[in-house]
Amino acid sequence: MRRFLVAGNWKMNTTRATGEDLAAALAANAPAAEDGVEVLVCPPYPYLVPIADKTSGSAVSLGAQDVYFEAGGAFTGEVAVDMLKDVGCSHVIIGHSERRHVMGETDETINKKVKAAIAGGLTVVLCVGELLSDREAGNTEAILDGQMAGGLADISEAEAASIVIAYEPVWAIGTGVTASPEQAESAHEHLRKWVASRYTDAFSEQIQILYGGSVKPDNAEVLMGQPNVDGALVGGASLKADLFIPIIDAARKLSA
Ligand code: PGA
């Protein structure tokens, strides 16, 4: 059975102090290994080191929100895979819709980042998702196919074993509008079939596919209860322990 992953994407939020308090609360409430639930937090770069102090020795994993594909050198403002490893990251989010639509990242850039992260030993949370206009035009699956093909270009099944997919419909991110459980399941089922046709049926049954977009304590259980939904990538509700812990608990309950 696939394990659940509940991931918090803090985006450009928290201070050092509020981030440390949040991480300490999560570390104290992290599920035991036998709960079948992994928990991940992705703070802003400057807080990775102090947050690592709070999560180390706990079951909470640490991730970054982005990474650059070059190993090092004259790339002002960028951060390399080895730097993330050096400060204790096991995961990195790549291709988040805000990187795609605010920063203009292309599938080609995302693919380079995915390859560099996997080669460097990080687990990648690769985000895909359609705009409202894509959905209204009936293009959701075509957009997802394009983002999957672009992001995973020239990536073998062995390499893809270090990838978690996050389906995040752009119209549901930070809007308070959540995809219905049926909409989420339909997209997840489609993504799993895409993985089966690109790789193998067996691999498609293993890969974790998270849902993201206005996940909250009151909708987490029904969303994660869908057969092809293996967890959540949570933005707003990951910033408060009393909202994020109930989402972790919903995954715990489903995996019991
Ligand atoms: P949200 O963000 O939970 O605030 O909608 C999700 C995300 O962007 O990962």
Side-chain angles (χ1 to χ4, degrees), residues 40-230:
L40 169 69
V41 291
C42 301
Y45 288 136
Y47 305 143
L48 287 170
V49 170
I51 299 303
D53 278 350
K54 299 290 172 193
T55 56
S56 79
S58 82
V60 178
S61 300
L62 186 69
Q65 299 171 16
D66 189 29
V67 69
Y68 197 53
F69 51 81
E70 295 286 355
F75 303 101
T76 301
E78 297 296 343
V79 170
V81 171
D82 283 352
M83 297 173 183
L84 298 182
K85 296 268 295 178
D86 200 13
V87 297
C89 289
S90 54
H91 290 67
V92 62
I93 298 171
I94 297 179
H96 188 274
S97 83
E98 285 140 25
R99 303 288 326 161
R100 293 176 187 268
H101 299 293
V102 184
M103 316 304 170
E105 259 181 42
T106 63
D107 284 316
E108 195 185 0
T109 304
I110 290 164
N111 178 244
K112 288 183 184 171
K113 292 182 173 187
V114 170
K115 285 178 179 158
I118 294 172
L122 290 172
T123 297
V124 171
V125 179
L126 173 64
C127 301
V128 296
E130 81 288 357
L131 297 165
L132 185 58
S133 54
D134 298 324
R135 177 165 283 269
E136 286 173 347
N139 290 337
T140 298
E141 294 185 353
I143 293 292
L144 296 180
D145 292 351
Q147 292 175 344
M148 292 289 282
L152 296 174
D154 303 317
I155 289 177
S156 69
E157 183 172 309
E159 290 164 334
S162 299
I163 294 178
V164 175
I165 302 295
Y167 169 62
E168 298 205 302
V170 180
W171 47 271
I173 296 178
T175 58
V177 180
T178 314
S180 68
E182 295 75 22
Q183 286 171 322
E185 173 58 17
S186 156
H188 282 233
E189 190 183 9
H190 178 78
L191 289 166
R192 204 173 296 287
K193 283 190 180 144
W194 188 95
V195 172
S197 68
R198 166 66 195 276
Y199 299 107
T200 58
D201 283 348
F203 180 64
S204 77
E205 289 303 319
Q206 286 165 28
I207 194 165
Q208 288 171 308
I209 308 180
L210 315 183
Y211 169 79
S214 299
V215 176
K216 292 172 265 199
D218 63 1
N219 60 27
E221 188 174 336
V222 65
L223 285 163
M224 293 191 288
Q226 301 304 307
N228 284 293
V229 179
D230 308 315

